Amino acid sequence: MKKVFSRPKSIKKNPFHYCPGCGHSIIHRVIGEVIDELGIQEITIGVPPAGCAVLAYFYFDVDMGEASHGRAAAVATGLKRALPDRIVFTYQGDGDIAAIGTAETIHAASRGENFTTIFVNNGVYGMTGGQMAPTTILGQNTTTSPGGRKERRDGFPIPLSEMLAVAKGSAYIERTAVNSPSNILKTKRAIEKAFRAQMRGLGFSLVEILSPCPTNWKMSPVEACHWIDEVMVKHFPLGVIKDITGEKKDVN
Amino acid sequence: MKKVFSRPKSIKKNPFHYCPGCGHSIIHRVIGEVIDELGIQEITIGVPPAGCAVLAYFYFDVDMGEASHGRAAAVATGLKRALPDRIVFTYQGDGDIAAIGTAETIHAASRGENFTTIFVNNGVYGMTGGQMAPTTILGQNTTTSPGGRKERRDGFPIPLSEMLAVAKGSAYIERTAVNSPSNILKTKRAIEKAFRAQMRGLGFSLVEILSPCPTNWKMSPVEACHWIDEVMVKHFPLGVIKDITGEKKDVN
Amino acid sequence: MLIKTVFSGFGGQGIILMGYLLATGGMYEGKNVTCLPSYGAEVRGGTANCTVVISKEEIASPVASEPDYAVVMNTPAMVRFQNQVQTGGIIFINSSLIEIRPIRGDLEIIEVPLNELSKQLGGNKATNMIMLGTFIRKTGLVSLETMINVIKDTFGNRPGIFKLNKTALSIGYNYLE
Amino acid sequence: MLIKTVFSGFGGQGIILMGYLLATGGMYEGKNVTCLPSYGAEVRGGTANCTVVISKEEIASPVASEPDYAVVMNTPAMVRFQNQVQTGGIIFINSSLIEIRPIRGDLEIIEVPLNELSKQLGGNKATNMIMLGTFIRKTGLVSLETMINVIKDTFGNRPGIFKLNKTALSIGYNYLE
Amino acid sequence: MTLAQGMIEIDQELCKDCKLCVSVCPKKLIETSDRLNQKGYYPAFYIEKNLKKENRKCTGCGLCAIVCPEIAIEVYRA
Amino acid sequence: MTLAQGMIEIDQELCKDCKLCVSVCPKKLIETSDRLNQKGYYPAFYIEKNLKKENRKCTGCGLCAIVCPEIAIEVYRA
Amino acid sequence: MRGNHVIAEAAIRAGCRFYFGYPITPQNEIPEYMSERLSKIEGGVFIQAESEIASIHMVIGASMAGGRVMTSSSGPGISLKQEGISFLSALELPAVIVNMSRGGPGLGNIAPSQSDYFQATRGGGHGDYRTIVLAPNSCQEAGDLTYKSFDLADKYRIPVLILGDGMLGQMMEPVELPPEIPVKRLPPKEWTITGAKGRPSRFIRSLILDPFEEEEHNWKLMRKYEKISKEELLWETFSIEDAKMIVVAFGTAARIAKGAIKRVREEGLKVGLFRPISLWPFPTKILKEISRKVKHLFVFEMNMGQMVEDVKLAVDGGAEIHFYGRPGGIIPTPLEISRIISSYYYQKKLG
Amino acid sequence: MRGNHVIAEAAIRAGCRFYFGYPITPQNEIPEYMSERLSKIEGGVFIQAESEIASIHMVIGASMAGGRVMTSSSGPGISLKQEGISFLSALELPAVIVNMSRGGPGLGNIAPSQSDYFQATRGGGHGDYRTIVLAPNSCQEAGDLTYKSFDLADKYRIPVLILGDGMLGQMMEPVELPPEIPVKRLPPKEWTITGAKGRPSRFIRSLILDPFEEEEHNWKLMRKYEKISKEELLWETFSIEDAKMIVVAFGTAARIAKGAIKRVREEGLKVGLFRPISLWPFPTKILKEISRKVKHLFVFEMNMGQMVEDVKLAVDGGAEIHFYGRPGGIIPTPLEISRIISSYYYQKKLG
Ligand SMILES: Cc1ncc(C[n+]2csc(CCOP(=O)(O)OP(=O)(O)O)c2C)c(N)n1
Ligand SMILES: Cc1ncc(C[n+]2csc(CCOP(=O)(O)OP(=O)(O)O)c2C)c(N)n1
Ligand code: SF4
Ligand code: SF4
Ligand code: SF4
Ligand code: SF4
Ligand code: SF4
Ligand code: SF4
Ligand SMILES: [Mg+2]
Ligand SMILES: [Mg+2]
């Protein structure tokens, strides 16, 4: 029999430090698969965040440069402008990208910086222990939204991807999830599209991925996957949010 | 004969320091008129920016607290949360609100903070001498976009108000201009609506005002007013961008 | 008298709670106590530690580089702490889970088969309380009475949990008879 | 020899340029020079100043609290600098615009009716150059020849402007005959 | 129907010669003075008085005041 | 038509007992072991071998591997 | 209670009704506790801001309005607040800022460290300013100093920093908390902006374009700082009467040092402890006096040597100063420190 | 050329191809010049970032990629960069950062000031780190030091700060600029991240969770700092041979002091100047030696007293130190300073 599924070349052998059932490692793998398939391992540079994925450089077998919390888009801008023929991606949690990193992300998109952002939306601050995130949905319990997130006290969750779609420099934006095999495959295709947009020089591309955090949601991994389907997607509907890659000519 | 037009009560007698034909002082006056008409001079608190209007407290005869560059929305959040029955407004330039203050503004809107923002869009950094602003339009010459703003080098201008409309906590957003008597009157009505939304407790309200900067545009004041009509409004169309004040009940 | 105890195991095993309850017990008995849980990124890997110092005098450092007692609830904890315990110290081992044993001859080893003992409670419950029971019996750091008071004050408003924990504590306490 | 000059007037009057040209002239003549324009928020109010120091030796401070010469192009400038000039210093006054005069008796006052003089140029043009011409004639800080060279190097690629400025310079220079 | 009657007053010292009032007055009743003010500007001035006969009378419409950045204009209406 | 034939291998030491593979295998071929691994988890294990007769054969569909967060599963197909 | 919880509860008892913060380990228990408590108090406001920058400017807003207000963070987050702290100082606004510092620079780690001493005591932001800096070394003191810091902040219209470290924040110790102050009974503030009802309007600003005015403002601040330097010094000494060598250490390091001193005292070494509690103002004068008697000072910090500069400045060449530092989040044991102390002690032939 | 233009041009000649900044007075001429120049150079990148924070992190990115990179700002903007500077230090990335400082704290004003000395020399960010700090006092030196700073940054993998002030940036003086270095001829860097082609992948990070590893990293940095402290000291002296009193001043203040010294020398007072050019490393040793001969040091700063601490630390009680400061953006005249000097001089009966 032939091996039809195994560890991607771009993912190192180190065991993941994530909690059982965490979406981060699924997303890592899927990115690794895309890098392998596009044959870009040697020219790819990743920018890991502060967040549960802060150690991502232990897993991705590509060059990586750490960003401080929220500044991945700025670091990636510096990298990509200096090395325009490399493939640069940032990897960011919802707190990282949609709270402290709001300005950097929106402006990178607005400038049409030609890199790809993987935005892992797990609706909480995972690494720091489950505080409210900008994407925590109304009613959701976290350690800093006692009694559930309340509109007037805590504000609304922020639809960052929809805002980024308004920016003129963004080329491709899709929201996916990694809570089921089919959604995982869609995520992979979305990431591939985003990388391809970058390879064609079309500007800013982003994939927002709804990702389970069983630990902070206080659910089993299987429950967490269901909760994404049943609750989370109502607030963050899946699908392509912006795609102008068809209209645009390659830039070289 | 009866005096039908004179200095509003809420505007002090100090002569303005602005350049001839600058939109800032027109906007000051209009805000003063609205404050007078709503009878809220004694309960209004303004938050002036860094920018040409940094000395706004010399002109407005209401309590005012300085914000550092870009942070007016955060300062206003602190003020308004501490004094929920006062009327709080921020006064911000395009650089202030749409560059360094992007995150603070978007999150204040997203939280539905109940204050009003006056966003003076003159397409340049006035105070610092005419550098490119986030709202500088493509092709426009500034001291840091030599040869005119270029999409790939300098990025696109940012449609901040449209992004803020995506935020769930914003109640009223309108774009106006102060380049003609009728536009000035519309601006006044928009500001009044925004203040009224705040008085009803409906959440974040903002008026973006296209405002001439003859000095840095290197035009005469009259030319600058025409340029707004002929060029600028094509990139920043005037009108109500979001208005849910009709649907919402007062909050008290 | 200054006694340092380290509790260590998986995140889900109620490690921090054991430390907290022991420290509170020491306090109830009028001693100086400090309790230092591990925190932050360390938790992500699934490990949790908690160090408790109980003393008649002011406590210099809540950290225990050479603990008197170690309570190890899983194998990684065992690996990590077996070499740190002071000569003459005691290691409490969750023997249902941990197969290896320390090779040092200068330590006392108390094996507690938590999974088996917890069968009386309907299986795999309150194993931390069982261990705590054994621990206070062996060390005498805090009296059983005090510990029951602590548990009462902590879980008083949830009678079911209080009862379960109290029973578990006794099971552990009596295990060493 | 260390000579400090302050130029002051409205933003649009070419104040900074006057300073820049004088400093460059000093440099051409092998002296140490510094030139410090006013900047930033100060500009907003419409005032511009520029301080030039020319010296045979190293220059300690490019600031002139007590200038030897002041060139004042409008009334506010007059008000501001009339009391700062050193005893025995010279104030050059744009007499077309400024009605008041310094009350101090220890200063020399040179009135230059710039608007009238500029009529020869077709009105209200290059008044700063006229003033600069008068200034170098009176002070001898820099020779006419040098200044013409400076103007040539600065405006050489725009012959019309060069010519205008050169003419203006001579008008001013000859005004003091 | 008679048009409303009005007049304006311009504070010569506040004016900065931006000419916006000049450009909006439907009756062309404002011009630029040739005497500098203290700030160094040639201020706008109201010329109605001389023009009564040409029927270029101020209506007190206020447009000039509305655009004036310096709040230098006060408007009166009958 | 015969279905594709497959098999999987689970690395017991990488597994963290999240049970996602268990929940997605259409053939119910994965269960949780009752022996702890070194990390302290009860790892998933592949039970096909015993179930050939029940026609619960692995198709090599890979769903289990796709959802596995630890890349603990390798899939083989004929 | 954990140190972080103690600080949060003490703040509330001191009348703090406004908290703005952003998560960062090892101080998350402060915002978590505040969110719970403030949501139950009439007029209490807790906002988890979008960033540290936003939170410090929300602090500015609420302080302008007259509230007792707090924020907390650690290392990188405190760096981001530096501009805001400079503004708080310039605007003369009271506020309490907690830094549960961690290993640095950069992302570093979350272990306890004292490497933010310079940043705290020299004003990491721009311009000439100082903030009061208090460094507790136990949960009890964390509570007491937090409580006190709100009064100090209001009294001098100055930001007060509580400089702790990860260990202090996480540690649980028994604590007796001060009584709750009814917010209504706090002294009124005459300078707040609350709307100009019944008085002329006023403004709060830090832009002072004229250098002479700005200089005057700077000297005014300076006079305030000098007053504080005289009146608000806090320190602790421990067995210094007969000491031939004195250990100078603050916060957690001082605790460890005390343990070490007890050990070496048992061996007969005459060693004492000087613990600055107010790091700014630094207890310069008293330390100078001490150094005139005891000629050997041993400075121990959990960093590469920062407070040692203040010790040198205080002593002004009048005593020999030894330094021992462990940066990076290492927590040395009392045993280790006692060994270093004795080795110096014997080397210098003090016993 | 204006000081700001000189700095910008010197940077380009030193091979700087990446500039990221944000406008703030009084340094706007740097980004303006860079935008013009870099847009005409193949591979040149100028971005006016959305904020100072974004710009310092763009610097980090381009530095990781191996480029020579610069940013510039003033006061409040430099405060905002503190987190990034701490990261640059931890990540050991070369970069050049210009601070044309202004009056503070808060918004302050745009007049020249030296009140960011502490922030610059003590690392205003979190954690134990230092950056090289160079303080030019003329346009010529601004150019020379900027040029040099790129080499220093690369040599030590460290951020280098150019600390100027508004006056230096605005002032025009004749300047001779160094020759342009062809970027291709710069030495290659072995640690950059450029894609793993032909080598194992690598990463650059500052998170070091294990305190022992982090401590090792800290000591590694410390060894580097010690090396720099020995090898990269810069200072200037002026008529100190026969001096009975020495003025210590840096940057613009030193220029003014020199003028003052020339005046008092004319009156026969024996006064000299010591001007630290590298503020960190501070020329401690040489100043100490000088202070063993000259017993009166007069420190003059355009702030409320910051460098004076380094002078005291250097002198270690070995000489009398007087301080005179003018904060807030005031530029004292040589005359004023000469009067203060003589009054001290006579008071101390030196002549
Ligand atoms: C300046 C700064 N502020 C705060 C932190 C602490 N911090 C680290 S990760 C993180 C957020 C984690 O949440 P998210 O980005 O959603 O990632 P997740 O862990 O959920 O994947 C925070 C607040 C930091 N490292 N730096
Ligand atoms: C932190 C910080 N960065 C930069 C500045 C300098 N600065 C003052 S105002 C301003 C922008 C002015 O532009 P805008 O907001 O559009 O206002 P305008 O002057 O055009 O009305 C800048 C960059 C500052 N004061 N603080
Ligand atoms: S806390 Fe949540 S996001 Fe972080 S590793 Fe655990 S499951 Fe994943
Ligand atoms: S620079 Fe522009 S915005 Fe600023 S005062 Fe002048 S005209 Fe107004
Ligand atoms: S009020 Fe109307 S008519 Fe009268 S001067 Fe003004 S614009 Fe002209
Ligand atoms: S609009 Fe006002 S400022 Fe402008 S010219 Fe008319 S009166 Fe003067
Ligand atoms: S490959 Fe498919 S059938 Fe086989 S074990 Fe996995 S999920 Fe089940
Ligand atoms: S999905 Fe992977 S980690 Fe989860 S239980 Fe199955 S094999 Fe184990
Ligand atoms: Mg998250
Ligand atoms: Mg603007």
Side-chain angles (χ1 to χ4, degrees), chain D residues 1-2 31-33 54-60, chain H residues 262 266:
Chain D
M1 188 218 69
L2 187 141
K31 289 168 195 147
N32 289 303
V33 301
I54 299 190
S55 169
K56 289 230 175 85
E57 284 137 49
E58 218 176 323
I59 297 168
Chain H
K262 284 184 189 156
E266 278 168 24

Side-chain angles (χ1 to χ4, degrees), chain G residues 30-327:
Chain G
I30 299 180
E32 287 169 0
Y33 190 94
M34 289 305 242
S35 76
E36 184 74 40
R37 277 285 261 133
L38 287 171
S39 74
K40 289 187 186 135
I41 297 178
E42 167 88 35
V45 173
F46 167 89
I47 298 183
Q48 181 179 311
E50 60 274 24
S51 70
E52 288 86 355
I53 294 188
S55 63
I56 193 77
H57 287 91
M58 291 176 188
V59 164
I60 290 178
S63 181
M64 283 177 173
R68 288 201 151 182
V69 49
M70 175 160 106
T71 184
S72 60
S73 189
S74 179
I78 297 288
S79 292
L80 287 170
K81 290 183 200 281
Q82 291 305 325
E83 189 212 14
I85 296 175
S86 174
F87 270 78
L88 278 166
S89 305
L91 299 166
E92 295 193 84
L93 293 174
V96 175
I97 300 157
V98 179
N99 180 1
M100 285 295 160
S101 64
R102 51 189 243 172
L107 217 40
N109 59 30
I110 53 175
S113 166
Q114 301 189 315
S115 56
D116 297 353
Y117 181 93
F118 276 147
Q119 188 192 47
T121 57
R122 263 77 177 165
H126 58 287
D128 279 299
Y129 71 90
R130 301 279 190 162
T131 59
I132 295 180
V133 185
L134 305 178
N137 79 340
S138 69
C139 289
Q140 181 63 48
E141 204 175 68
D144 294 343
L145 291 180
T146 302
Y147 195 80
K148 181 186 174 76
S149 65
F150 284 92
D151 288 336
L152 285 174
D154 278 353
K155 178 170 171 195
Y156 294 103
R157 293 181 57 187
I158 197 172
V160 180
L161 237 96
I162 305 286
L163 184 63
D165 58 52
M167 197 167 90
L168 183 74
Q170 296 305 318
M171 193 164 83
M172 301 184 213
E173 283 184 309
V175 163
E176 229 169 277
L177 279 164
E180 177 135 14
I181 307 176
V183 172
K184 297 231 169 79
R185 244 181 286 136
L186 290 170
K189 301 176 180 177
E190 294 304 330
W191 46 266
T192 55
I193 52 174
T194 52
K197 194 161 207 152
R199 57 164 171 80
S201 67
R202 57 185 167 217
F203 53 78
I204 299 183
R205 56 94 187 245
S206 71
L207 181 89
I208 309 182
L209 283 176
D210 177 21
F212 291 93
E213 273 181 58
E214 175 74 35
E215 179 178 39
E216 196 30 63
H217 184 57
N218 272 283
W219 290 125
K220 180 185 161 207
L221 292 178
M222 185 57 138
R223 287 190 292 275
K224 172 162 95 177
Y225 298 154
E226 273 168 5
K227 183 155 192 265
I228 295 171
S229 299
K230 276 195 204 103
E231 294 178 10
E232 306 298 346
L233 294 161
L234 293 171
W235 72 88
E236 182 203 332
T237 56
F238 170 69
S239 22
I240 60 163
E241 297 69 27
D242 62 345
K244 295 187 176 168
M245 174 183 266
I246 281 177
V247 182
V248 187
F250 73 95
T252 292
R255 224 178 137 121
I256 297 168
K258 203 180 213 175
I261 290 169
K262 284 185 188 156
R263 276 180 189 255
V264 298
R265 281 255 165 205
E266 277 168 24
E267 296 164 27
L269 278 64
K270 294 189 172 151
V271 178
L273 174 74
F274 183 80
R275 175 168 75 95
I277 297 172
S278 59
L279 301 185
W280 193 90
F282 191 80
T284 297
K285 212 173 131 220
I286 169 83
L287 186 59
K288 181 168 191 164
E289 279 163 23
I290 289 174
S291 76
R292 294 301 173 258
K293 282 174 256 161
V294 187
K295 288 291 154 200
H296 292 272
L297 299 185
F298 174 88
V299 179
F300 162 51
E301 299 178 71
M302 280 151 64
N303 61 34
M304 299 201 299
Q306 301 192 11
M307 183 186 64
V308 64
E309 288 197 0
D310 280 331
V311 175
K312 284 185 186 162
L313 286 168
V315 165
D316 201 21
E320 241 184 274
I321 292 165
H322 318 288
F323 174 72
Y324 184 70
R326 294 293 306 265

